[in-house]
């Protein structure tokens, strides 16, 4: 399987589509998932082109993990979540729908079931506030 640069995250990385961006540096962006499984569901997206974990450059993986940790801590602090689930899907049978490597940071709240993967769309105004608060906590 080869990387196809017409995927939606590549378009966001190129600035062709809007996003609720939380953070950006030379190697990655962080944004909120617009179909969140819970409040504060964030995505860490390395800029380097790869479909997923299987074809990623190991150097890009090592570079992004500290950011994944920072975002997990910031999301937990801002949302008051009781736990954080880290998820990452590789190829369609495993649940991948956007074929540019990304890590899901999914807050888990005691006694609250997670929504479906790729479920309902979140309110834009609410996402904008969350994105700002998480950015400030990073
Ligand atoms: P995956 O199934 O791991 O490929 O996850 C792709 C994720 O991207 C899903 O959780 C979607 O809800 C999310 N998603 C799809 N389109 C957008 C978008 N335009 N902005 C933010 N998140 C998106």
């Amino acid at each position: 399987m080869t990387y196809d640069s017409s995927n939606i995250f590549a378009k966001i990385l190129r600035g062709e589509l809007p996003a609720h961006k939380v953070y950006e540096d030379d190697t990655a962006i962080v944004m909120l998932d617009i179909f969140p499984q819970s409040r504060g569901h964030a995505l860490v997206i390395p800029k380097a082109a790869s479909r997923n974990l299987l074809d990623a450059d190991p150097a890009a993986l090592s570079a992004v993990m500290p950011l994944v940790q920072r975002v997990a801590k910031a999301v937990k602090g801002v949302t008051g979540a009781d736990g954080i689930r880290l998820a990452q899907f590789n190829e369609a049978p495993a649940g991948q729908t956007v074929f540019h490597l990304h890590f899901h940071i999914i807050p888990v709240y005691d006694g609250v079931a997670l929504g479906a993967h790729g479920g309902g769309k979140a309110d834009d105004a609410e996402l904008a506030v969350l994105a700002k608060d998480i950015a400030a906590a990073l």
Side-chain angles (χ1 to χ4, degrees):
M1 296 275 202
T2 54
Y3 181 78
D4 176 357
S5 64
S6 66
N7 73 78
I8 200 159
F9 291 171
K11 288 181 181 165
I12 289 172
L13 286 169
R14 289 195 296 267
E16 295 166 12
L17 288 175
H20 287 285
K21 227 179 260 182
V22 169
Y23 174 84
E24 176 163 15
D25 65 19
D26 288 348
T27 61
I29 69 163
V30 180
M31 67 182 188
L32 295 182
D33 198 304
I34 56 170
F35 306 102
Q37 286 185 262
S38 66
R39 192 174 71 87
H41 182 165
L43 301 168
V44 179
I45 308 175
K47 289 185 174 176
S50 75
R51 280 175 71 82
N52 53 44
L53 183 76
L54 303 173
D55 62 336
D57 178 352
L61 296 176
S62 344
V64 81
M65 264 308 155
L67 179 60
V68 169
Q69 182 192 37
R70 271 176 72 197
V71 174
K73 288 180 174 181
V75 165
K76 187 169 184 299
V78 165
T79 61
D82 300 294
I84 294 290
R85 185 174 292 184
L86 177 63
Q88 194 277 314
F89 303 95
N90 301 285
E91 300 303 334
Q96 187 175 8
T97 58
V98 179
F99 297 93
H100 181 112
L101 176 64
H102 55 280
F103 297 86
H104 295 260
I105 289 165
I106 306 172
V108 182
Y109 303 90
D110 267 345
V112 182
L114 288 182
H117 182 53
K121 190 171 180 300
D123 179 68
D124 270 320
E126 199 183 315
L127 289 181
V129 171
L130 263 175
K132 202 162 141 272
D133 289 350
I134 297 166
L138 265 177

